[in-house]
Amino acid sequence: MKLIIGYLYPDLMNIYGDTGNIIALKKRCQWRGIEVVVKMFSIGNKMKTGSADIYFFGGGQDQQQELVARDLVKSAKGKVLKSEIERGVPLLAICGGYQLLGDYYRPHQGPTLKGVGLFPAFTVAGDKRMIGNIVVDSKFGGLVGFENHSGQTFLKENAQPLGKVVKGFGNNGEDQTEGCVYKNAIGCYMHGSLLPKNPALADWLIQKALEVKYGKVKLPKLNDQLENQAHQSAIQKFS
Ligand code: GLN
């Protein structure tokens, strides 16, 4: 079997170790004998339905977000991404990428950035930066990460949060929600990078991609002793 990982705007949206998520997805596939190709989609690259089997969208600063927000509309990559998610393709978006997949992002300065409208949420720059380790209780169990954002994301009615904040700020530092889930797309504020320390989430994304592409597939278990040690020590240290 083969999976294509679509890496969105890696030259502009890749901060606080986010590229580690690509490495984790790639290794967890290769350790199971699944061939992996990483395809980059940035400004000037065309993207169409079926371009990738999993999409990853990292974090970025306001300046880069403005360039990317414009390209998502101009190149129609935003529309393609929405149709991919509607057919069940999994996606992980972190922080700045997550913010651009909501209805809009209003930064401190400059224009309000139109979002893709994938997640039923909107983001406005807050008056403080939310920085630090974060622990979240979710359907994947405890999740650990690192956050650094001023944007406060508010979920609209019926939006499904990824989880409940145990330690840290999460979406907005007010309502104890963190992230958003729509079909097999997950947005959240957890940099770090997220997936190496949260193998259950990494495998969920891989499993969903295999199901869409090949139908039901049993994902062989891996020896996650090291990953679980890193996960547990983070949970203990940060909670
Ligand atoms: N520029 C956005 C904010 O500050 C996103 C930052 C990020 O991706 N870490 O909220």
Side-chain angles (χ1 to χ4, degrees):
M1 290 184 287
K2 171 178 170 181
L3 285 181
I4 300 172
I5 301 174
Y7 193 171
L8 298 165
Y9 305 96
D11 50 339
L12 295 162
M13 302 289 283
N14 168 20
I15 50 179
Y16 310 129
D18 287 343
T19 208
N21 295 299
I22 297 287
I23 299 169
L25 287 170
K26 197 169 166 183
K27 294 309 288 178
R28 296 188 74 79
C29 285
Q30 290 171 338
W31 289 333
R32 291 170 164 118
I34 299 166
E35 191 193 337
V36 175
V37 171
V38 178
K39 263 193 192 165
M40 317 274 191
F41 295 100
S42 191
I43 295 176
N45 299 128
K46 284 246 166 294
M47 193 170 93
K48 59 185 192 322
T49 301
S51 286
D53 305 308
I54 308 181
Y55 289 92
F56 177 73
F57 198 179
Q61 304 306 352
D62 290 4
Q63 211 176 351
Q64 285 75 25
Q65 285 178 284
E66 188 172 341
L67 292 171
V68 170
R70 262 199 243 123
D71 183 68
L72 281 166
V73 175
K74 199 161 142 265
S75 70
K77 285 201 260 304
K79 273 208 185 88
V80 170
L81 217 39
K82 274 185 92 170
S83 68
E84 291 285 70
I85 303 310
E86 287 302 331
R87 70 183 182 91
V89 174
L91 167 141
L92 175 65
I94 308 285
C95 202
Y98 166 39
Q99 294 172 339
L100 294 182
L101 296 182
D103 290 353
Y104 61 83
Y105 170 46
R106 190 180 310 137
H108 275 297
Q109 281 146 6
T112 295
L113 306 179
K114 183 172 167 21
V116 168
L118 177 71
F119 294 118
F122 59 91
T123 303
V124 287
D127 52 11
K128 65 174 185 202
R129 284 206 77 79
M130 291 166 270
I131 302 176
N133 299 301
I134 174 170
V135 179
V136 172
D137 196 15
S138 77
K139 69 174 181 180
F140 301 100
L143 295 172
V144 292
F146 173 80
E147 57 186 326
N148 182 340
H149 55 108
S150 73
Q152 291 185 288
T153 296
F154 297 94
L155 303 182
K156 291 163 66 175
E157 211 176 332
N158 307 324
Q160 188 193 342
L162 170 60
K164 186 173 174 350
V165 176
V166 173
K167 158 103 174 65
F169 299 96
N171 278 326
N172 48 52
E174 294 170 12
D175 63 12
Q176 280 77 48
T177 65
E178 161 54 358
C180 190
V181 180
Y182 174 70
K183 294 200 170 203
N184 294 328
I186 293 177
C188 69
Y189 275 105
M190 292 187 270
H191 292 284
S193 34
L194 177 64
L195 296 181
K197 290 193 291 288
N198 299 282
L201 179 53
D203 284 353
W204 183 85
L205 291 164
I206 295 167
Q207 180 75 48
K208 292 299 174 192
L210 291 170
E211 284 171 6
V212 169
K213 193 164 183 178
Y214 298 108
K216 202 89 191 118
V217 174
K218 185 130 181 54
L219 205 52
K221 276 213 151 312
L222 292 175
N223 171 356
D224 285 333
Q225 193 190 346
L226 270 182
E227 290 81 355
N228 291 332
Q229 271 170 1
H231 180 94
Q232 283 313 321
S233 71
I235 292 242
Q236 271 134 38
K237 207 161 64 173
F238 305 152
S239 296

